[in-house]
Structures are given as structure tokens and as C-alpha cells.
Amino acid sequence: MYLANSDTLLPPRKTVTAPVCFHCGAACIGDKVRVDDHVFCCQGCKLVYELLEENGLCNYYTLQSHPGLSQIKPIRNDKYSFLDDESICNRLYQFTNGDKTIVSLYIPSIHCSSCMWLLEHLNRMDPGVSESRVNFTTKEVSIHFSRKKTTFRNLVELLTTIGYEPYISLDDVSVKKAKPYNKKKIIKLGVAGFCFGNIMMMSFPEYLGGKLGIESQYMHLFRYLNLLLSLPVFFYSASEFYKTAWGGLKQKTLNIDAPIVLALIITFSRSIYEILGNTGPGYLDSMSGIVFFMLAGRVLQDRTYQSLSFTRDYKSYFPIAVTVQTPTGNETRQLGDLKENDTVILHHEEIVPADSIVLNDNALIDYSFVTGEEEPVPVLKGDMVYAGGRQIGEELIIHVVKPIAGSYLTSLWNHYAFRKNKAEDNKKGSTIQLLSKYFTAVLFSLAALTAAYWWLHDPSKIITSVSAMLIVACPCALLLAATFTNSNILRIFGLNGLYLRDATVIEQMTKANHIVFDKTGTVTDGTNSHIIVSGYQLNDAEKILVFSVVRQSNHPISKTLTAWLGQTTALPLTSWQEIPGKGIEAFYGGMLLQVGSAEFVGIDRNEKATVYIRLGRNICNIHMRSALRSAIPFLIGTLKKFYSLSLLSGDNANQKSQMQQVFGNGSNLMFEQKPVDKLNYINGLQAKGEKVIMIGDGLNDAGALQQSNVGITLAADVNNFTPACDAILKAENVSLLQALLDLSKWCRIIINISFVISIFYNCAGLYFAMTGAMRPVLAAILMPCSTLSIVILSSGLSNLIAWRKGLAIRTHE
């Protein structure tokens, strides 16, 4: 087998089984990087192993095989130099007294028990660390350290060296509001549960009508104890409902809490009257039960996905500080202090911090997360680069013309769509809020009719009948139907990789009739490239030679080429050199081989290829296109039976024919769409009365996600950066989207069924109350039966339907 235009004989191509890296489990190219009997894929993995072995931490590998991350990159010496600035560090510290310091760092790469074990033994690698604790759910590590023994920068560099690089962004030093969740609601729930259980226990003599043989004086004692236990429930635990009901009244609206509060007040007042007047035991068990079950449902919803962020903006994407070139040398400057005319130095994979002009030679800027353009854009000296682009290649020097506050990306966040409060808007139009208005009006009307009837026939029964009506007809069963059904649906969604901001999103999903998809990173998979070859076609022998050249590089394009060519026996090269930002140059014998940009291989950029390969006089053009996600064709085929579909892409129309085959002729496909174009397209659909779900993944989709009725972000890791949205869907679970949308529609049906059952209980209770025949024992039976049947029905039906749809309903499925 010979090379084209050469007499060089190559050995036949043969596939080999690559050894596995002891640290990360990645396939190794050869076995030259090793320690003792352990083989590693790169020097980075080998370095981590040696560091752990030196500190007696090799148990890291016994808890789980190959727990590390693949291809650990060496740290640039000045990458974390901004952490030498105390003003920056002080804004990241949770606590410091000048020496003892606590800091919490978000580490996206935490994924297993080995990670937790290693990170909780940092003190054995850095004696300045006194304690470190990992929150696996939020992927955060809290570190206690002494600033006299170590520095914050040393800690971050140590974490990065062992493969657990923290994600530190501008958002981390921005002023943040406290999370709305607090412990007071849990305490209120605990108090209500304790009192409810004891009141129920001491009410059994009343339920059984004295058949237990308990003396009457003890029965009176139990009544007064129940009254005492009800005080913290009424005045403390139920304060949640008083606040929301009063807030609604101040806005001249009746929310669902208003009739609940009225029922609580009347129940408590009548119970006091009966107990002090020695005419009955009252309804304290029912009152405390209402408060306990209502609080339980609300706490469950409040705690759902509290570790996820649905409100991120560009600050979560930008770095804290950048390197600025000054007459006295380079200095680290916070992003907020960056000014017009500053000169900034960017390194490989760093973010362009502001709209700027390029000062040095050509470079590549990846705008995929900002505009959706899949191919990196080549820029020359004097060209404009925009905030949010990612620098690829060698050092880039830029001249700032607009600070971050005036950049194109920031202007997107000033759009009116980002000033909307979607959560509040959804609540105002929800079925529950509309129902509460009619429920209250009907209840008061019936109470007035009952009072009028007994005024004419037996005035002594007016107070008894009307108060019993308001107690029995409390809308708690109606509200519990929605609360527990939504909570269980949220749980099932979470088990299947869909995390919703709150329960109001479910109702919006049921109303949707149009789904809009982003292309890059949503319909296509950026981690799985489809390669198209044009120009000169490589034969098998030449592919071996190209493999031998690109396998030694850690550049993403080189890795993609290596995977495409397949594992084989590498050839011994005469020389090999990688030039950052340009490409790789190597010699095999006397033959020159180059892999890189058009300028690097010495040709005009006559077609927009991702990378060019020069083999002697022959030029091979390699086009890398993100492949469709495997589940997309079937998913789109199913969705278009029930929804109108659109595709919006910031990329060019190279894949239009492929997308047309997937989406069909009835769908609208639009390319080269700027972020504001996507937002305006969604707005146009809504102006026609359509309810829109937008599915995207990048900053360029943020406006459309916010404008849509439901914005769903597709994320490979739900804890990593995602733009502001209503829901986050794991990329690996995108095939379940149709089933999840179907389940959201069933949610409304289940709630309606539960409403019918709760109305049946209310009607039965109202009959006895209006006729004056309501007794405490009957109220004690009706109200718990209503509540329990609603909970069991909503949970059972939603689980059954989810199971029929092929969704997981338990954590082990």
C-alpha cells in the first residue's frame, strides 16, 4: 500500500484494541504514558494519579473504577491570577475573619462517590484546609481553610489540577437575592403535624361516643387540651394563608386562600364557642388537618428543584476578570471595571468580554452559544469581535470599543421580554385562581339562602347551619387536588429528566399548540459530528498517516478526526509540531503533512471547510457538521401530528435540506436568525393566538425562551450554565418529550376528576349542614376521607398514566 504521489510503502491498516486509562477510563493511544502497571491516556491523568498516590489517596480508585475526567488539561500559569485580588476574593467568600475562611465552589464535574470522597479529603493534599464538605445535589463543595497556611488561588489551582475545576463566573460576585425558600415553613409544617396528630388522638372518645368508658371529666380535659394545641396551629402555622389572602384582598381579588382563611376563622371560633359553652367538642381536628395537609403540599412544591437555577442571565456566562495590557505591564481587572479603549489579552477558550477590535493576526471566534452559528468565524486584524464569543487558538489581543454594559449581548437582556414576570402572569390566569372566584361567590350565596330559610322556620339554627356550611365547604379538597397532583407530576417529570420552575408551567404546557426548536445544540448534537469530505479523497494508507498526526493533539477538531479515523497502529513520525490557532505540521520521512486552517496549509479559502489536510500536493477538505440527535427524527415525526412546528437557527442554511426531510413541508424553517429575530418570531406567533413552547440551549435563545409561553432549555448537565427558562430538560431524555407533554395534559384531566370527587363530598356535607344535622363526628369523617381520597387518587392516576407512557415513576427505574 503506497501513499499517493510517493514511493513510500505503508503497512496494511489494522484495527487495534486500545488500552483503557486507569484514571478516567478513556481509550489510550499507545501505552507509553504509564506508572508501574497503570496506563494513562495523557500526562494530565498521570499527574493526578501521582499526586493522589503521593498523598495516600488512591482509595479514590477503589470506590469506583476510572472515576476521573478524561484528558485533563495543564493549567496556564496566570489563569487564576485574578484570585490574587483581595477585592474579588472577598466577594466570593461566605465568611472570613482575616484567617479562617469559608468558600463554596460550584464544580460541574462531580458525578460519583469517588468524587465526593476525594473532595472531602482535600486537607491531605493542602494542610491549609481544615474541612471540606460536598453537596452532591447542587455539585458544590464548601471549603474551610486558613489564609495564613494557603491561598484561595492555591485551592482553585489544586482542584483544577486533579480534574475538578470550579466554575467561577461574573454572576458569583453579583449582588444576589436570597433564595425564596426558608426554614420557617418547615417549622410551621412540623408544628401543625404535631398538633394535628395529638388532637386526633385525644378526639377518639368523641368519635366513639363514649364507648371507651372514659369518664366525662376526662373528655372535658381532652377538649381543653385540644383547644390549647390548636392555638399554635391557628396563630402560627396558618399565617401562610392569612398573608396570601390579605395580599389578594389588597389587590381587590379573591384568591383561593380567601375562603380557606374564612373557613379556618369560623371553624376556630365555633370550636371555642362549643368547648367553652360545654355544648360540643368543636372542629379543631378538622381545622388542624386542613392546615397540615395544605402546608405539606406547598412545602413539597417549594422544595422541588431548589438547587436548579431557572433565572440565569449573561453574568453566569462571563468571567469575573480579564487580563488587561497596560504601559506598566499586564494586570488583572474585574469585568465591571473594564473601560472603553482598554487592551485585553485573551487565551484559548476564553470569552470575549466586550465588543472589541482585533489588534493582532487572524484568529477563530466561536459564536455558537451567542448566535447559533455552528462554524467558528475567522477574524483578521482590524475586524470586530463581539461579547460572548469564545476565542479558539493562540493568544488574541483586542481593543475594547464598548464596555459590557453597551455590548450587543447585554442589549438583548434590556428587551421588554426579560422584564416580564411569567410566574406571576401564569398564576393570575390559572384554573385554580379562576375557580376560587366562583367557588367563593357560590358558597356565600348558599350561606345567605340557608340563613334566610332558617330565619323563617327556626332562627336558633341560623348560626349552627351557616357556620357548619362554611366549615364543611372549605375549598381545601379542591386545592389539594391541584397541589398533590401537580407535585406528583413534578416528581415524575424530575425522574425523567424534565425539571420545571414551578407547577404553573404544567398548565401552560397543556395549552401549547406550537413548538419552536433551535437547531444547533438542540436538534443537532454538538458532541457528535458528521464528517463530509470534499476535494481529494484519502485512501486507507493516507488515513493511517493522518491518524498518526492528529492523535497526539488535544484540540477538539483533532479528537473528532481521531475518532472518525478509528483506532489503528500509529506510524513513527520524523517530526511533529502543533502551532496554536493554526494547525499541526509533521513529516513522515520526507513527506510534509499539514492539518489546519486554509492559510496554514497555504491555499485560498475557496470553500468553508472546518479543517484542511495537505498531503504533498493534495488538499483534502473536511466539513464537520453536528449530527442530528438520534431521537430527533422519530420525536419530530410524532410531535407534528399534534403540534405546529418551527425551526429557528442562527446558523447558515447548509443543513436546510436535511432539516426539511425531518420536519416535513408543513413546518417553517428559518436560518441565519439573530437572537432578536427569534424573539420577534415567537411574539408574532402569539399575536396570532398561538401558545408557544420554545426549546433551545444557548444565550442566543434566551430572548425567545423568555418570550414564549413555556421556555425549555436542553442541557447535557442540568447544573451547568443554561439561559433563563421555565424548564430544563436533560439532553439524553429528549426522546421522552412527547410522553412528558402528554402527561401534562393528563394532569388537568386528573385534577378535574379530583374536583368532581371533592365537590361530591362538599355537596354531601352541605346537605347535612343546611338541614342542621351536621355533627362533629360526621365532619371528622367527611373531611379526612375527602383529603385522603384526593391524595390517593391523584397519585395513583398520575403514576398509572406515566407508567403507561413508558416513563419512570420510581428512582430505580
Side-chain angles (χ1 to χ4, degrees):
M1 195 181 304
Y2 293 86
L3 287 172
N5 306 306
S6 171
D7 294 331
T8 306
L9 179 66
L10 292 178
R13 179 183 178 91
K14 59 180 181 180
T15 302
V16 296
T17 302
V20 175
C21 177
F22 180 71
H23 175 72
C24 68
C28 300
I29 300 173
D31 59 358
K32 293 182 180 179
V33 183
R34 64 186 307 140
V35 175
D36 301 326
D37 295 330
H38 306 310
V39 180
F40 301 92
C41 63
C42 63
Q43 291 293 335
C45 290
K46 175 175 172 285
L47 174 64
V48 175
Y49 172 79
E50 290 174 335
L51 180 62
L52 299 183
E53 184 182 40
E54 180 182 342
N55 290 279
L57 293 171
C58 281
N59 281 343
Y60 174 66
Y61 299 104
T62 62
L63 297 173
Q64 185 166 325
S65 60
H66 316 304
L69 293 183
S70 62
Q71 295 290 338
I72 295 175
K73 300 177 182 177
I75 309 173
R76 196 180 71 249
N77 291 334
D78 61 345
K79 181 172 183 178
Y80 293 105
S81 59
F82 65 88
L83 294 179
D84 292 331
D85 187 338
E86 280 300 312
S87 63
I88 294 177
C89 293
N90 286 329
R91 296 167 72 181
L92 294 170
Y93 295 152
Q94 290 182 317
F95 167 82
T96 183
N97 61 4
D99 178 25
K100 301 298 182 184
T101 302
I102 303 174
V103 66
S104 182
L105 296 172
Y106 169 56
I107 301 179
S109 54
I110 295 176
H111 65 283
C112 67
S113 57
S114 290
C115 301
M116 295 180 64
W117 183 86
L118 180 61
L119 291 173
E120 292 187 348
H121 287 81
L122 288 177
N123 60 315
R124 291 167 66 173
M125 289 182 282
D126 189 331
V129 176
S130 58
E131 181 184 0
S132 54
R133 287 288 178 265
V134 174
N135 184 327
F136 188 79
T137 303
T138 60
K139 296 193 174 184
E140 291 179 338
V141 57
S142 178
I143 303 174
H144 299 231
F145 67 98
S146 169
R147 292 168 64 184
K148 293 180 179 178
K149 297 180 181 179
T150 189
T151 66
F152 185 29
R153 178 179 175 179
N154 287 343
L155 284 176
V156 172
E157 289 180 341
L158 172 62
L159 288 168
T160 305
T161 299
I162 61 177
Y164 295 95
E165 182 174 9
Y167 186 83
I168 304 174
S169 69
L170 180 62
D171 192 47
D172 294 318
V173 295
S174 300
V175 177
K176 301 177 184 176
K177 295 180 181 179
K179 290 186 177 181
Y181 170 74
N182 58 65
K183 293 183 179 179
K184 288 185 179 179
K185 195 173 286 187
I186 288 289
I187 297 173
K188 291 177 182 179
L189 176 63
V191 169
F194 171 80
C195 296
F196 171 54
N198 282 281
I199 290 172
M200 288 288 289
M201 181 180 67
M202 288 187 286
S203 297
F204 268 101
E206 304 286 354
Y207 300 157
L208 300 177
K211 293 180 181 179
L212 293 178
I214 296 178
E215 299 278 344
S216 61
Q217 63 265 31
Y218 291 110
M219 191 173 292
H220 293 310
L221 173 64
F222 288 158
R223 289 179 181 178
Y224 282 104
L225 287 174
N226 285 345
L227 181 59
L228 182 65
L229 286 169
S230 70
L231 295 177
V233 176
F234 183 78
F235 290 104
Y236 177 65
S237 297
S239 61
E240 291 288 322
F241 310 109
Y242 304 149
K243 292 177 183 177
T244 52
W246 178 243
L249 290 175
K250 286 195 295 185
Q251 296 179 5
K252 298 181 180 180
T253 60
L254 283 176
N255 57 34
I256 196 67
D257 284 343
I260 291 176
V261 168
L262 182 61
L264 291 177
I265 292 173
I266 293 176
T267 303
F268 186 67
S269 301
R270 177 163 173 175
S271 298
I272 292 177
Y273 170 78
E274 289 190 4
I275 292 172
L276 296 182
N278 199 27
T279 59
Y283 303 89
L284 297 175
D285 48 354
S286 298
M287 184 204 73
S288 57
I290 292 171
V291 174
F292 172 71
F293 283 111
M294 294 298 301
L295 279 176
R298 294 189 179 187
V299 167
L300 181 62
Q301 288 194 11
D302 287 349
R303 289 180 63 89
T304 304
Y305 319 133
Q306 60 176 317
S307 64
L308 301 180
S309 176
F310 295 92
T311 57
R312 293 172 173 140
D313 62 14
Y314 67 92
K315 293 179 182 177
S316 301
Y317 182 62
F318 278 86
I320 292 176
V322 292
T323 304
V324 177
Q325 197 175 67
T326 67
T328 58
N330 296 341
E331 66 177 42
T332 299
R333 189 173 298 174
Q334 295 187 49
L335 207 62
D337 297 332
L338 200 61
K339 299 180 180 64
E340 192 174 333
N341 296 322
D342 279 344
T343 300
V344 177
I345 301 174
L346 297 177
H347 300 90
H348 180 54
E349 294 194 343
E350 289 188 341
I351 304 297
V352 177
D355 296 353
S356 309
I357 294 175
V358 177
L359 297 182
N360 59 347
D361 292 333
N362 60 310
L364 287 176
I365 305 295
D366 177 9
Y367 286 116
S368 60
F369 207 62
V370 179
T371 65
E373 173 66 37
E374 189 170 342
E375 294 281 352
V377 177
V379 292
L380 303 173
K381 184 176 181 178
D383 285 352
M384 193 80 174
V385 290
Y386 297 95
R390 188 183 296 274
Q391 147 72 357
I392 298 177
E394 61 186 359
E395 182 179 274
L396 179 66
I397 302 175
I398 58 176
H399 178 78
V400 176
V401 295
K402 288 183 183 179
I404 186 172
S407 69
Y408 164 75
L409 183 64
T410 310
S411 68
L412 178 63
W413 259 265
N414 295 327
H415 195 280
Y416 71 88
F418 289 90
R419 295 193 290 270
K420 296 192 304 180
N421 190 331
K422 293 175 71 175
E424 289 301 318
D425 292 344
N426 290 345
K427 287 178 182 178
K428 290 178 183 178
S430 68
T431 303
I432 296 297
Q433 294 302 325
L434 294 174
L435 177 68
S436 66
K437 296 179 181 179
Y438 295 110
F439 181 90
T440 305
V442 171
L443 179 60
F444 283 172
S445 299
L446 289 174
L449 290 173
T450 302
Y453 175 84
W454 288 116
W455 175 265
L456 297 175
H457 294 83
D458 187 355
S460 64
K461 291 186 177 181
I462 293 177
I463 295 177
T464 304
S465 299
V466 172
S467 60
M469 278 184 63
L470 295 174
I471 292 170
V472 172
C474 168
C476 64
L478 299 177
L479 190 55
L480 281 172
T483 301
F484 279 91
T485 302
N486 286 335
S487 297
N488 197 44
I489 294 293
L490 286 173
R491 181 188 68 85
I492 294 171
F493 279 175
L495 290 175
N496 292 276
L498 178 63
Y499 306 94
L500 271 56
R501 184 191 66 242
D502 55 44
T504 63
V505 180
I506 300 175
E507 188 166 345
Q508 295 303 311
M509 290 171 65
T510 65
K511 299 176 181 178
N513 57 8
H514 197 123
I515 301 179
V516 178
F517 286 89
D518 169 55
K519 182 180 79 72
T520 306
T522 304
V523 172
T524 61
D525 183 0
T527 63
N528 182 19
S529 293
H530 173 61
I531 292 181
I532 302 171
V533 180
S534 65
Y536 180 73
Q537 300 293 314
L538 301 173
N539 61 38
D540 286 347
E542 291 162 339
K543 288 180 179 179
I544 296 174
L545 184 54
V546 175
F547 170 83
S548 305
V549 173
V550 298
R551 75 182 185 92
Q552 301 181 54
S553 171
N554 285 327
H555 193 281
I557 291 178
S558 296
K559 290 181 181 179
T560 302
L561 283 174
T562 301
W564 173 64
L565 292 166
Q567 294 292 335
T568 188
T569 303
L571 299 173
L573 301 174
T574 307
S575 65
W576 186 92
Q577 181 184 15
E578 183 171 19
I579 303 170
K582 295 184 178 180
I584 306 170
E585 182 175 281
F587 279 91
Y588 178 68
M591 174 167 283
L592 171 67
L593 187 139
Q594 294 174 315
V595 180
S597 65
E599 294 77 14
F600 181 65
V601 301
I603 63 170
D604 293 331
R605 194 179 177 87
N606 53 358
E607 60 175 294
K608 197 174 182 180
T610 305
V611 67
Y612 300 84
I613 300 173
R614 174 179 284 280
L615 198 66
R617 297 185 300 272
N618 299 312
I619 301 294
C620 175
N621 308 311
I622 302 293
H623 305 262
M624 294 182 182
R625 301 280 182 265
S626 293
L628 282 175
R629 294 186 184 276
S630 58
I632 285 295
F634 180 78
L635 174 65
I636 297 298
T638 306
L639 288 175
K640 63 186 180 184
K641 298 176 183 177
F642 308 100
Y643 299 90
S644 299
L645 301 181
S646 295
L647 177 74
L648 301 180
S649 175
D651 203 359
N652 56 48
N654 285 343
Q655 291 181 283
K656 184 173 183 178
S657 59
Q658 182 185 16
M659 295 298 126
Q660 195 73 61
Q661 291 178 359
V662 175
F663 281 82
N665 296 325
S667 302
N668 193 13
L669 310 182
M670 303 180 69
F671 296 86
E672 298 182 358
Q673 297 292 294
K674 295 179 180 178
V676 70
D677 295 332
K678 294 184 177 184
L679 189 154
N680 290 335
Y681 180 79
I682 301 290
N683 197 19
L685 292 176
Q686 292 171 328
K688 299 175 183 177
E690 302 208 36
K691 304 296 183 182
V692 183
I693 295 176
M694 171 68 194
I695 305 177
D697 74 314
L699 280 175
N700 60 307
D701 304 316
L705 290 167
Q706 182 67 13
Q707 178 63 39
S708 63
N709 300 89
V710 179
I712 301 177
T713 294
L714 202 65
D717 186 337
V718 296
N719 289 293
N720 282 353
F721 175 83
T722 53
C725 57
D726 301 301
I728 301 174
L729 175 63
K730 282 185 177 179
E732 63 192 61
N733 293 81
V734 69
S735 60
L736 301 176
L737 180 61
Q738 176 64 61
L740 294 168
L741 291 172
D742 287 346
L743 182 59
S744 70
K745 293 179 180 179
W746 272 101
C747 178
R748 175 181 283 188
I749 297 173
I750 294 170
I751 290 174
N752 290 339
I753 294 172
S754 301
F755 279 174
V756 171
I757 294 176
S758 63
I759 288 171
F760 169 79
Y761 280 112
N762 278 334
C763 289
L766 284 172
Y767 168 77
F768 290 108
M770 293 175 73
T771 57
M774 175 63 70
R775 293 183 298 143
V777 63
L778 192 57
I781 293 172
L782 277 177
M783 297 193 77
C785 284
S786 174
T787 300
L788 290 174
S789 60
I790 293 299
V791 173
I792 293 171
L793 177 72
S794 62
S795 299
L797 275 179
S798 53
N799 285 342
L800 175 63
I801 293 165
W803 176 73
R804 292 287 299 271
K805 296 286 181 183
L807 299 172
I809 59 175
R810 288 185 293 274
T811 54
H812 67 270
E813 293 187 33

